Structure formats: structure tokens, C-alpha cells
Amino acid sequence: MSTIRLALAQQAAPDDPLRRLPLLRRWCEDAAADGAHLLLLPEMWSTGYAPQRMNTDHAWDDDELVLAEIPRLAAGLGLAIGFTYLARVDGALRNRLRLYGADGAIALQYDKVHICDFTDGTETALQGGDGFVCADVALGGETVRVGAMICFDREFPEAGRALMRQGAELVLVPNACPMRDDAELGDVRLQQLRGRALENRFAVALCNYPAPQYDGASCLIDARGRLLAAADAQARLLSAELDLAALRRWRAEQDEVWGLAALRPSCYR
């Protein structure tokens, strides 16, 4: 089977921490019942990406109880889960995506590199990650080369290129900002992300917060930059399918026509 099914949980995080795990469990059960192989949450879902929670009081160590439950949930449902949270790492705070495989093991862990530490930025208390990572992840009987960017990362072409050079086929993008209806940019961020997919020949799955927090637009983009599925602004669980055989065929055709030499890496400074 060359098609993998993704579930994008375009859902707000409740203020009450005790409600978060039951909601996550319900969404995972719904996704698994729908045949999904992977579920992805918006950026830093453990805090709801709320400025007032962007501090050490709301950060998690590796022994956090919720982090112990997610592997069991993943293994029990046979569902990979892309969970996002505010992590405490050697006393510093990081914006983290942890992807648990369908067996419950940690398949990929990524800390946001391009944190929003500009003046009055929400993430001024956070430390940036150390680099971009990819991993081979079992999804629906296929081994998929998966990478990650988090929100602001996708605005830098170097981020996509770093993942492409590691062989990424699918890039997960937890998000927390307007994508389609920004007051100044309109839908530029969404179109920019389509360009990232095309220029690097990988698929992109973005999961954003719904209105009124942000404007939804969670989506799956293929390696040609085409929107395969896109949500409106309302809270929902978006299902999307990616044909891996078609993606790999497209990449092979492009490599045959252009070759990596067309990138002219010796000219990049």
C-alpha cells in the first residue's frame, strides 16, 4: 500500500490541563477509526501557545505524566502521534515536536530552530533548537522519511533545504499564526509553504489552530506544491491522503531531468 492517511487535529487546547489528555485520546481514537496512520497537533499544544503559559511553570520534563501516556495511546491504536509541547531542557525552555511511532517509541524529536525572539515576540524566553532532523518512520506499511519544521521555521528557505538534503519525503509543520487571512500578508504564508514543497520536492502537512485563535487552513501539500486537502477556519479533524508512489515517481523524474547538479551547491554562500 503506497497511500498513507494523515489526521490534522485543528483543535484548540483547553485551559484546564486535566481536559487535554481526554481530548487527545478522543481525537486519536477518531483518527484511528478513520484509518489514519499519523495524527499531528498544532504548535505547542500543551500550552495552547498562550503567551501567559510560555514560562517554566508550564514546561515539561521527560518524566511528565502526559508524555508517559502518549506512547501507550500510540501503541494501543497503532497510530503515530505528533505531540507538541513546551519542553524543559537542561534548565532552558524549548518549543518541541515529539513524534511517537505506531509502536509507541519516539521516532523523531525536533526543537524549533527559528524561535520568535524578536521584540515583543511570544517566545522571547525560549532557546532555539540545534538543527533540523529527519527519521525513517513506519506509516501504514511504508517506511517514510519524515522531517519537521515548526511555524516560523517554514519562512526560511534554508530550513526546507536542510531537510531536503537529508532526504525528507514528508515534513510535519505544527503551526500557530494566521495562514490564510493575515491582516497584512493575506495568504502569503500558505503560498510560501507551497513553494517550499515544490522547491524541495517533499510533501508538507501543516496543522494550525482554528478560529478565533488563528485562522485554521491546516493542509496537506504534495511535492509539486499542490493542495491535496485544506481546512477552513473552524475546529475539526482534517483527514488527508498522500500517495507515496506518486511522490517518489515525481522526485525520480525531476532528478532525472534536472539532477542535483541543477542546484549548483558550489554557488551557495
Side-chain angles (χ1 to χ4, degrees):
M1 180 170 110
S2 68
T3 299
I4 58 172
R5 191 168 180 84
L6 309 177
L8 306 176
Q10 184 171 289
Q11 303 280 357
D15 290 333
D16 182 356
L18 296 178
R19 293 184 55 213
R20 292 177 196 157
L21 186 57
L23 279 175
L24 176 64
R25 182 177 293 111
R26 188 183 80 195
W27 298 334
C28 287
E29 290 172 349
D30 289 347
D34 191 46
H37 304 116
L38 183 153
L39 178 134
L40 180 64
L41 293 170
E43 181 178 12
M44 214 186 294
W45 191 79
S46 70
T47 70
Y49 201 78
Q52 66 272 21
R53 300 190 191 109
M54 210 78 70
N55 55 61
T56 189
D57 290 342
H58 298 276
W60 291 356
D61 296 306
D62 282 343
D63 60 359
E64 168 64 36
L65 293 178
V66 175
L67 294 179
E69 288 296 319
I70 297 173
R72 289 192 278 269
L73 184 58
L77 294 171
L79 176 73
I81 301 172
F83 189 80
T84 60
Y85 65 103
L86 180 62
R88 186 184 293 108
V89 183
D90 297 327
L93 303 180
R94 293 193 174 193
N95 184 336
R96 175 167 289 178
L97 164 68
R98 180 176 284 184
L99 177 62
Y100 293 90
D103 60 355
I106 298 173
L108 179 147
Q109 181 168 284
Y110 169 68
D111 293 338
K112 184 177 182 179
V113 168
H114 296 104
I115 59 171
C116 300
D117 60 353
F118 39 78
T119 303
D120 296 328
T122 307
E123 300 177 50
T124 52
L126 273 58
Q127 178 187 74
D130 302 316
F132 295 94
V133 296
C134 285
D136 293 327
V137 181
L139 296 174
E142 294 280 347
T143 298
V144 185
R145 188 72 171 163
V146 178
M149 299 186 282
I150 297 179
C151 199
F152 196 34
D153 286 329
R154 57 176 164 59
E155 299 200 15
F156 296 85
E158 295 84 357
R161 187 48 47 92
L163 293 170
M164 182 275 274
R165 290 174 66 86
Q166 294 180 56
E169 296 178 299
L170 171 64
V171 174
L172 306 179
V173 184
N175 202 76
C177 73
M179 288 297 296
R180 183 186 285 130
D181 297 313
D182 184 85
E184 295 183 354
L185 299 177
D187 68 348
V188 167
R189 291 190 180 102
L190 180 59
Q191 303 311 328
Q192 182 187 57
L193 191 60
R194 295 178 64 187
R196 290 284 169 273
L198 174 62
E199 69 194 10
N200 294 299
R201 304 171 194 167
F202 52 49
V204 175
L206 175 137
C207 187
N208 198 22
Y209 286 100
Q213 184 172 357
Y214 290 113
D215 64 350
S218 298
C219 60
L220 178 64
I221 302 168
D222 73 5
R224 302 185 191 206
R226 300 179 301 187
L227 278 171
L228 300 182
D232 57 17
Q234 303 308 306
R236 62 173 298 184
L237 192 65
L238 177 68
S239 296
E241 290 191 344
L242 178 65
D243 187 333
L244 286 174
L247 180 149
R248 290 166 177 167
R249 185 166 56 249
W250 165 255
R251 287 161 63 107
E253 290 171 355
Q254 294 304 296
D255 285 344
E256 182 177 352
V257 172
W258 300 108
L260 292 178
L263 299 175
R264 302 192 68 192
S266 64
C267 295
Y268 303 153
R269 296 288 185 265

